[in-house]
Amino acid sequence: MKKVLLITTMVLGNVFGLQAQDTVSISKSSLLEKVTQNLQLKIANQNYQSAKADYKQTRAFFLPSISASQTAMVTTNPLMAFGSKLNQEILTPMDFDPNLLNNPKRTQNFATQIEIQQPLINLDGWMGRKAAKAKMDAYGLQTQRTQEYLQLETQKAYMLLQLAYKAVGVMQKAEGTAQANLKLVENYFKNGMLQKTDVLNVQVRVNEIKNKLAAARSNVQNASDYLAFLLNEDVKGTYKPSETLEANFSATEIATELNEGRTDIQAYQKTTEAYKNMLKMQQMSLLPRLNAFGNYQLYDRTIMGFQANGYLLGAQLSWNLFDGMKSYGKIDKAKADFQKAETEADQYKKQSQLELQKAVRQFQDAKNKLTNAQLALEQSKEAYRIRQNRFAQGLEKTTDVLQSETLMYQKELEYQQTVFEVQFTQLYLQFLN
């Protein structure tokens, strides 16, 4: 009974020591809500916003361009002076005097102009717009996949935190057991039933467990810090999971064929589509373009005056017949980029299928390993119980009891690690599908 009380006191003391730090209780559901603050996700979203802005710029291929300008001029140049008076509609018969034409007086002119340019037929521009749209969609899909990955990584970090707390609990039990064994061995030594070496062996074991317990507590802080990094939070203290790590298997059937509806697969398809449209854009740049233009002018001798006005309307058909093979070089480059994008998309799909099949086998291996780990833990506990009873009766060596105790807690840590592997592999399969 004294032995049980001693173990209980030691375990509770260590638990309270861990809880004495500032701890923040957190659940898995709250983590998934906070993951939107992750810096990597924000970067991905900014990439999407940049692509969206590029797509918005392509409206210039079909929307008009309107500009306004105000020009002030003072001149004694014969041609400019005569033209300014003509625009201002103030010419008189005296202005045709050769002396005035050749030696005009100082003339000032203020011109206000509103100009409009309207694209009519720009086939390469339309294909450029389609390429920008596909690029924007690809970045949007990549942002979604980034969020899915971060949800997986956050759940993994949460389970690592759960595993770290489990390890602390195991090492606390091991420390309590080791302290109880040390007290028992010291009593036997005082009664002349054991040698000094037996006491030293148990003391070495106690110190080893203390070191492992300290390392386990450091792992808790490390896991907590990484979780805070993923959530982009500054936490003074340590996160503590509100749920414990348990082995729960999904009832849904595991798919072994790649789901081509995955956002990352679709992103590669959109990227390939963008390069295809870029190739078409370069090919259509060889075709003629038709654009309309017009302007409205106001002239006066004073600023912002509107004494005279006029307008100009027109259309321009332009065709770049030869540019020193520059356009054909761009077409060849766009074709190579398109073929490269197709190859990369095909390679990514095959790699993803390979990764999925590997993950399915890992999940099956982890489930089998869990069964064996649970059996090994039960067997090690029973072996330790038997050796402990025989040691109390003087029928077992101290070293045999220490080895049995070490094996028992080693198997318990292995079991908890296997539970983590099963749970994470299951989540990873869901991510791959």
Side-chain angles (χ1 to χ4, degrees), residues 21-252:
Q21 304 174 5
D22 293 334
T23 58
V24 179
S25 180
I26 193 166
S27 64
K28 184 184 294 187
S29 59
S30 64
L31 288 179
L32 298 180
E33 292 176 358
K34 294 180 178 181
V35 75
T36 55
Q37 300 300 318
N38 180 269
L39 296 178
Q40 185 177 351
L41 183 58
K42 289 183 177 181
I43 293 172
N45 186 61
Q46 291 303 317
N47 288 333
Y48 169 72
Q49 294 297 330
S50 176
K52 186 178 180 180
D54 288 338
Y55 175 63
K56 185 182 293 185
Q57 293 179 46
T58 61
R59 295 176 182 176
F61 292 126
F62 62 90
L63 292 179
S65 174
I66 304 174
S67 61
S69 63
Q70 173 76 30
T71 304
M73 181 182 67
V74 176
T75 182
T76 57
N77 180 278
L79 180 62
M80 297 298 295
F82 184 82
S84 296
K85 288 184 177 182
L86 183 63
N87 284 331
Q88 295 172 13
E89 300 178 2
I90 58 174
L91 281 176
T92 64
M94 295 181 58
D95 292 316
F96 290 91
D97 184 348
N99 292 326
L100 291 177
L101 287 174
N102 292 325
N103 299 289
K105 296 180 180 180
R106 179 175 176 271
T107 303
Q108 62 184 27
N109 182 54
F110 294 91
T112 302
Q113 178 172 280
I114 300 175
E115 186 174 7
I116 300 177
Q117 294 182 346
Q118 174 64 58
L120 297 179
I121 301 177
N122 288 321
L123 298 179
D124 58 333
W126 280 103
M127 294 311 303
R129 178 172 171 81
K130 293 180 67 176
K133 177 65 165 59
K135 176 185 174 183
M136 180 187 70
D137 292 340
Y139 273 108
L141 291 166
Q142 288 177 6
T143 301
Q144 293 180 34
R145 190 59 176 175
T146 301
Q147 184 170 0
E148 293 169 2
Y149 165 74
L150 288 172
Q151 288 177 344
L152 172 68
E153 188 67 15
T154 302
Q155 292 181 81
K156 177 185 176 182
Y158 185 73
M159 288 191 296
L160 283 172
L161 184 63
Q162 290 175 320
L163 180 61
Y165 272 99
K166 285 278 189 179
V168 170
V170 171
M171 296 316 300
Q172 285 175 341
K173 290 192 298 182
E175 185 185 29
T177 303
Q179 291 287 359
N181 287 336
L182 177 60
K183 186 174 182 61
L184 182 62
V185 169
E186 287 175 342
N187 289 334
Y188 284 169
F189 174 71
K190 290 178 182 178
N191 295 327
M193 300 171 60
L194 293 175
Q195 299 180 0
K196 182 64 175 178
T197 54
D198 295 313
V199 178
L200 294 175
N201 287 334
V202 177
Q203 289 175 340
V204 169
R205 172 62 180 164
V206 170
N207 292 330
E208 287 178 352
I209 292 176
K210 287 182 178 180
N211 290 334
K212 291 181 178 180
L213 178 58
R217 285 172 173 161
S218 295
N219 288 336
V220 167
Q221 189 62 54
N222 293 337
S224 177
D225 291 345
Y226 180 60
L227 196 55
F229 166 75
L230 288 176
L231 301 179
N232 192 26
E233 290 186 343
D234 295 327
V235 178
K236 296 181 179 179
T238 308
Y239 279 127
K240 185 174 183 180
S242 58
E243 304 101 344
T244 58
L245 185 63
E246 303 292 344
N248 298 319
F249 299 105
S250 175
T252 58

